[in-house]
Amino acid sequence: MRSAAGWIASEPPELQIEFLEGLSEGALLALPYLFEFWAYDHQLPPEGDWRTWVIMGGRGAGKTRAGAEWVRGEVEGPRPMDPGRSRRVALVGETIEQVREVMVFGESGILACSPPDRRPVWEATRKRLVWPNGAVAQVYSAHDPDSLRGPQFDAAWSDELAKWKKAQKTWDMLQFALRLGSEPRQCVTTTPKNVPVLRAILDNPSTVMTHAPTESNRAFLADSFLEEVRARYAGTRLARQELDGVLLEDRDGALWTEGAIEAARKAKPLSVDRVVIAVDPPVTGHAASDECGIIVAGVSMEGPPQSWRASILRDASVKGASPAVWAGVVAEMAEAYGAERVVAEVNQGGDMVESVLRQVAPNIPYRGVRASRGKAARAEPVAALYEQGRVHHAAGLDTLEAQMLQMTLKGFEGRGSPDRVDALVWALHDLVLLPATSWGNPRVRTL
């Protein structure tokens, strides 16, 4: 979400001038240092009772600035000499040099963020910052976890924890040292990596998290940088981790892994011979309803059916739509992609599903499918197609792919119903696993 400054920047020049002229001289001088005014939502501490705040995001998303400003908020009082909430802070990074150059002296570091009358002094020989009010921030390296034995703190800022070589031991030593004050707190700023220590921190009930992709801070990034990295790494696992700030992890018993989905993105696009629109309709049609899963898929029918390969061309799913609306989307997709057939699950709606579609597109080719097994059992053979490298994903399927990663042998581990995945499963059953020649004449097929 845009900051207050972002909203003002989007207003006409006359309103911007009126705002600035309405400020006193003191307010104008203070404005650059009022982070609450400039900050994005993900850069501000969440409300509530928490011990650890994890700021997870893509490269350049503003994590360092948020961490530095959080330290300021902890140690500064209302006036320069007044005490703040915390007086003893640990600054922990991968190395002493990285703490000094990024967290302390960096362009978004503590010194750059501090107003002149509250700016701390760097004591190089003691590797610490000292504020005018007596608060102290000591520097530590994650390469030396035992250096955290002995000191004690009421606040800590850990930067890029996910890449620390001795992350678990350093984190453990830091927790034992956070024992001053009534409620010691800590901030973690990191690009996500699937490492045990970060997963454990996020799973802790006392942890809160804010998240943002690189683009959230695009006002302070070169356009050429964003264009270049997105063009070069689009659709890759690296982009999701380093740019989208997504923690990539595979669940126990996952039917689809990040590796399998990334391979599908990288697979060579196919020239398809047959296209279907697969539909998993919701039970009801209002704002609180499940999504209507609508997947457009095609198949290359080269060689015997056992070697046919499929392409997922588009995810056109809609949420909170009435039957007339989702049926209209299905008809639109069928016409746009020249679909040979619409395949729709009829467990919930029965003949109503076909009736609704016929009202929108009377001549649309249609086949109903009825589920007799659980979602995971139906999805397993489809997941196997991915393991065999027989499915290609077009761009723009992020929401579908996120849902796929939550499908396990035990079922769906996400919120709501996996309607997009259900539609995907029906599409690939029709196109690859049960080719049209083997279906016979029944208008409703049971799987």
Side-chain angles (χ1 to χ4, degrees):
M1 182 178 291
R2 285 188 296 177
S3 62
W7 287 109
I8 292 172
S10 66
E11 295 294 332
E14 56 270 20
L15 290 180
Q16 297 175 17
I17 294 171
E18 180 182 348
F19 168 75
L20 293 173
E21 289 182 344
L23 299 177
S24 66
E25 182 179 355
L28 278 172
L29 292 173
L31 191 60
Y33 302 103
L34 297 178
F35 190 58
E36 293 83 357
F37 178 79
W38 301 100
Y40 296 103
D41 284 352
H42 72 276
Q43 294 178 305
L44 295 174
E47 297 180 356
D49 183 19
W50 53 267
R51 178 179 171 84
T52 304
W53 172 29
V54 177
I55 308 172
M56 199 158 62
R59 300 283 189 93
K63 303 184 297 296
T64 302
R65 177 68 186 270
E69 293 285 359
W70 179 79
V71 171
R72 274 192 61 204
E74 286 289 304
V75 302
E76 292 180 5
R79 293 170 299 184
M81 301 304 294
D82 291 345
R85 182 182 181 278
S86 302
R87 294 185 61 81
R88 294 292 180 269
V89 183
L91 302 178
V92 190
E94 186 174 21
T95 65
I96 294 293
E97 290 74 19
Q98 289 186 11
V99 176
R100 184 182 64 235
E101 298 303 319
V102 176
M103 301 169 72
V104 176
F105 285 95
E107 292 183 3
S108 299
I110 293 170
L111 290 177
C113 297
S114 301
D117 61 343
R118 298 163 187 259
R119 184 168 294 142
V121 174
W122 171 247
E123 296 183 352
T125 57
R126 301 187 68 178
K127 298 182 180 67
R128 70 178 194 171
L129 285 169
V130 180
W131 274 264
N133 64 5
V136 175
Q138 191 74 47
V139 168
Y140 295 91
S141 166
H143 281 294
D144 185 14
D146 286 336
S147 64
L148 287 162
R149 291 180 182 272
Q152 53 186 355
F153 313 100
D154 47 14
W157 173 23
S158 299
D159 188 48
E160 293 297 354
L161 175 144
K163 71 171 187 174
W164 294 355
K165 297 295 187 294
K166 300 179 181 179
Q168 189 62 64
K169 187 173 182 181
T170 303
W171 182 255
D172 290 341
M173 291 301 100
L174 180 60
Q175 303 318 295
F176 287 121
L178 276 171
R179 55 181 184 263
L180 292 181
S182 59
E183 292 180 285
R185 284 183 167 186
Q186 57 194 329
C187 175
V188 176
T189 50
T190 189
T191 303
K193 289 183 70 175
N194 188 18
V195 293
V197 63
L198 181 57
R199 293 200 305 269
I201 293 169
L202 293 173
D203 287 341
N204 194 315
S206 64
T207 296
V208 293
M209 184 190 76
T210 57
H211 164 267
T214 297
E215 277 84 354
S216 66
N217 200 33
R218 69 181 310 141
F220 299 96
L221 301 172
D223 289 339
S224 58
F225 161 75
L226 289 172
E227 292 172 4
E228 176 69 17
V229 293
R230 281 298 182 188
R232 180 174 298 183
Y233 300 106
T236 68
R237 183 184 180 92
L238 191 63
R240 296 193 71 198
Q241 175 177 285
E242 301 294 325
L243 299 178
D244 297 330
V246 175
L247 181 62
L248 306 179
E249 56 180 329
D250 297 329
R251 297 170 181 264
D252 291 339
L255 292 180
W256 284 277
T257 64
E258 278 285 350
I261 291 177
E262 183 177 356
R265 296 191 202 106
K266 290 183 176 180
K268 183 179 179 181
L270 305 175
S271 175
V272 297
D273 301 307
R274 182 170 180 265
V275 173
V276 301
I277 313 296
V279 188
D280 183 58
V283 179
T284 56
H286 51 74
S289 300
D290 289 332
E291 293 176 315
C292 178
I294 304 172
I295 297 296
V296 183
V299 65
S300 173
M301 302 168 68
E302 183 177 347
Q306 292 79 7
S307 64
W308 290 358
R309 299 172 61 218
S311 278
I312 308 305
L313 304 173
R314 184 165 175 178
D315 177 2
S317 303
V318 291
K319 181 174 177 58
S322 67
V325 170
W326 63 251
V329 173
V330 172
E332 179 185 345
M333 292 298 104
E335 181 177 357
Y337 287 88
E340 276 74 22
R341 188 179 303 279
V342 170
V343 178
E345 182 178 320
V346 297
N347 283 53
Q348 304 294 343
D351 293 338
M352 180 274 293
V353 176
E354 181 178 5
S355 176
V356 170
L357 283 169
R358 296 287 184 213
Q359 291 175 26
V360 176
N363 299 318
I364 196 167
Y366 170 86
R367 190 185 301 278
V369 288
R370 191 179 302 279
S372 62
R373 297 182 293 166
K375 297 179 187 293
R378 296 198 308 272
E380 270 194 83
V382 172
L385 296 175
Y386 284 79
E387 294 177 9
Q388 297 164 8
R390 295 173 59 192
V391 183
H392 165 258
H393 274 203
L397 301 175
D398 293 356
T399 307
L400 167 65
E401 291 166 354
Q403 206 174 80
M404 292 168 69
L405 291 172
Q406 298 177 86
M407 282 295 300
T408 73
L409 293 170
K410 296 180 180 179
F412 183 60
E413 295 188 354
R415 295 181 179 179
S417 178
D419 302 287
R420 297 168 191 255
V421 173
D422 282 345
L424 170 84
V425 167
W426 291 123
L428 293 182
H429 265 287
D430 184 272
L431 290 170
V432 182
L433 297 175
L434 295 171
T437 54
S438 70
W439 278 59
N441 296 318
R443 294 179 65 244
V444 175
R445 178 78 178 186
T446 301
L447 295 174

